[in-house]
Amino acid sequence: MDHNLATAEKDVLEELVKQVQLRGLRGEHGGWMDFVAVCNQKDITPHNLSMVSRDVLVAFLTTFKKKEDLQRLQRFANSLLVEKLKQDTPENNTPEQMLIRLTMKHPEFSSDYSFPSLSNDWFVSDIGMKSSTVMNSTDMIAVDCEMVLCEDGTEGLVRVGAVDRHGMVILDKFVKPDKPIVDYRTTITGVTAHDIDNATLSVVDIQKELQPYLSKGAILVGHSLNKDMKVLKIDHPKVIDTALVFKFSNARNSRKPSLNDLYKAIFGKEVRKEGVSHNCVHDAAASIGIALAFIKNPFDTTVAPSKEMLEAEKSRLFIHRIPSYVPSEKLNLVLAGEFHSTKFKLDVKPAKGYGGNYCAVVVFDSPKEADQAFENVNGYKERDSFGLPQKLSTLKLSSGLSATCYVRKMV
């Protein structure tokens, strides 16, 4: 950290000292006024930081040695950087910085990217304390993670994929969670118990693998990237989230596009077929591919869905508010009883929060089959807030329990 402070912008150093005073933080020689008294330099005007030399500010800030204090300083420096990156200035006008700015201006950015990163097991990027040259770097890496459901209701990291802007795979590793797993979500993750039995890496190991790229100012890219950063326990201010930057012209309110649909609309091909489990390396490559397409030739971030996509919506049903105690791997069998059919594929979407409800998209071979399955569902027919038909259905589980969820048409 000492080296970072020595190269930090003067205005950043001044704001850090102000923050220290506001929070009453104390270094090895006490607070700011205590430090000034120890220095015994009459030319220091402690209440006017703009008149204090860089060397004195650096000397004071380097007296903070506790990890929690350092993380606080890094977080605050990063928050200053975020505010700078949000501004539309000539210095922030590269296509990469435009994508960062569009990410940060999304109404859900503040809530999505507010992390509990003062915990000791988090890695807080130090990029906000570095020189403007490092902060303005346009290097990029994309990450994507696969998560499982753990016994305590939290999500555990089990696989990480990362690629650079040239498409080179820089990371593809299995990770062993530190808690017992109750649902591998194999239909989504493609990860099995055997994969995890042979894994030896921890979240901390993955943080160490990514740290050199982030500390050099790399932009972190992903689709719904906040979910990956949360499970990686990484707080980094320079991000491009393609789920926040782009939207479909027919999207309702804040509905975010799926990576697969967005990639198909832009490139005319899928990242994966419906019902096929995810591959985090392929998903990371897809998200950075979308970002690079914009960087090469900027286009409207409101994307028109393809005719095939609009037609495909008619062959789908959306199942939402599925309780977490309904195993995702058994959902196929449960829904087959409701639909009176087994001719469908399932794309399960994990819960947004720990222990929360999850959802799934059911894909049929034709609109006729989707319509018939919806009619076969036993439940009261109503319309959601957007006027789409849906039914409240009661699922009967093999355990003897029952669960209610909504079955809704997509169009």
Side-chain angles (χ1 to χ4, degrees):
M1 173 164 163
D2 293 2
H3 172 72
N4 295 340
L5 288 170
T7 60
E9 302 294 320
K10 176 69 160 42
D11 62 331
V12 172
L13 295 173
E14 291 174 14
E15 290 299 326
L16 287 175
V17 173
K18 289 179 185 177
Q19 183 70 7
V20 164
Q21 293 182 83
L22 285 172
R23 292 182 175 271
L25 301 181
R26 300 175 65 81
E28 290 182 332
H29 302 303
W32 168 241
M33 297 303 292
D34 299 316
F35 177 81
V36 171
V38 169
C39 286
N40 197 28
Q41 295 186 32
K42 295 180 180 180
D43 58 336
I44 296 180
T45 52
H47 300 294
N48 186 356
L49 296 177
S50 63
M51 300 298 291
V52 179
S53 72
R54 164 191 290 275
D55 290 344
V56 171
L57 295 175
V58 169
F60 169 63
L61 292 170
T62 53
T63 66
F64 290 87
K65 306 296 183 182
K66 294 179 181 178
K67 184 176 180 179
E68 57 267 32
D69 289 338
L70 296 179
Q71 287 187 211
R72 283 192 178 91
L73 293 176
Q74 288 168 347
R75 274 171 53 105
F76 185 69
N78 288 345
S79 70
L80 294 174
L81 176 57
V82 167
E83 292 308 311
K84 287 182 180 179
L85 293 172
K86 285 181 180 178
Q87 297 171 13
D88 188 357
T89 63
E91 295 78 18
N92 280 355
N93 213 28
T94 66
E96 291 89 346
Q97 289 162 329
M98 287 172 63
L99 288 173
I100 293 174
R101 191 161 60 250
L102 287 168
T103 296
M104 293 177 173
K105 288 189 174 181
H106 191 281
E108 294 184 27
F109 174 78
S110 295
S111 58
D112 284 353
Y113 285 85
S114 179
F115 301 122
S117 51
L118 287 178
S119 301
N120 284 331
D121 52 354
W122 275 72
F123 164 68
V124 180
S125 168
D126 58 359
I127 191 66
M129 291 185 174
K130 296 193 173 180
S131 67
S132 57
T133 302
V134 176
M135 290 192 290
N136 294 333
S137 168
T138 56
D139 195 15
M140 299 192 300
I141 61 169
V143 298
D144 187 79
C145 301
E146 304 299 342
M147 288 84 88
V148 296
L149 183 64
C150 294
E151 190 176 57
D152 63 352
T154 63
E155 290 189 319
L157 176 66
V158 288
R159 190 181 177 189
V160 186
V163 299
D164 65 16
R165 68 183 299 157
H166 306 294
M168 182 178 294
V169 178
I170 58 178
L171 190 63
D172 183 12
K173 301 287 186 181
F174 287 105
V175 181
K176 186 181 287 293
D178 57 1
K179 302 170 185 175
I181 299 170
V182 294
D183 187 354
Y184 284 87
R185 297 170 174 167
T186 302
T187 54
I188 309 169
T189 65
V191 175
T192 65
H194 177 72
D195 295 324
I196 305 308
D197 287 343
N198 295 325
T200 58
L201 297 179
S202 67
V203 171
V204 173
D205 294 323
I206 301 301
Q207 291 173 350
K208 290 177 180 177
E209 293 259 11
L210 295 174
Q211 181 176 352
Y213 300 96
L214 303 180
S215 292
K216 290 177 183 177
I219 303 164
L220 201 54
V221 182
H223 193 83
S224 294
L225 176 64
N226 60 303
K227 297 177 182 177
D228 302 303
M229 293 174 68
K230 189 172 184 179
V231 78
L232 286 166
K233 297 184 177 180
I234 287 177
D235 192 346
H236 182 68
K238 293 176 64 178
V239 294
I240 294 173
D241 189 336
T242 50
L244 298 186
V245 172
F246 300 96
K247 66 178 182 178
F248 286 122
S249 55
N250 67 333
R252 297 182 298 276
N253 284 3
S254 60
R255 180 184 172 189
K256 298 172 186 175
S258 74
L259 177 61
N260 209 34
D261 285 345
L262 183 60
Y263 193 84
K264 187 173 183 179
I266 295 173
F267 297 107
K269 55 185 178 181
E270 298 172 310
V271 181
R272 60 184 172 276
K273 298 293 183 183
E274 293 283 2
V276 176
S277 59
H278 295 205
N279 180 303
C280 55
V281 171
H282 295 168
D283 287 356
S287 63
I288 204 169
I290 292 169
L292 289 171
F294 179 92
I295 289 166
K296 185 177 181 180
N297 187 19
F299 53 87
D300 192 341
T301 56
T302 300
V303 180
S306 65
K307 291 181 180 179
E308 294 84 359
M309 194 182 305
L310 292 172
E311 190 63 28
E313 294 278 89
K314 298 177 183 179
S315 300
R316 300 177 180 181
L317 296 177
F318 182 56
I319 319 296
H320 60 112
R321 300 189 189 178
I322 307 170
S324 58
Y325 61 82
V326 179
S328 60
E329 273 122 355
K330 295 183 180 179
L331 193 57
N332 245 331
L333 184 61
V334 175
L335 291 176
E338 285 293 300
F339 297 150
H340 301 173
S341 171
T342 58
K343 296 180 179 179
F344 60 84
K345 294 179 180 178
L346 205 58
D347 186 8
V348 178
K349 314 291 184 182
K352 290 183 178 179
Y354 297 145
N357 296 336
Y358 66 99
C359 59
V361 175
V362 188
V363 184
F364 296 88
D365 290 335
S366 68
K368 183 178 179 180
E369 291 182 18
D371 288 341
Q372 186 58 58
F374 182 77
E375 291 305 318
N376 289 340
V377 172
N378 185 22
Y380 176 72
K381 188 175 180 179
E382 58 183 51
R383 291 187 178 274
D384 72 355
S385 58
F386 296 104
L388 294 173
Q390 69 176 6
K391 290 182 179 180
L392 179 61
S393 174
T394 300
L395 306 178
K396 294 181 175 59
L397 309 180
S398 59
S399 63
L401 297 174
S402 61
T404 58
C405 64
Y406 283 93
V407 181
R408 195 195 74 197
K409 288 191 172 185
M410 299 289 281
V411 290

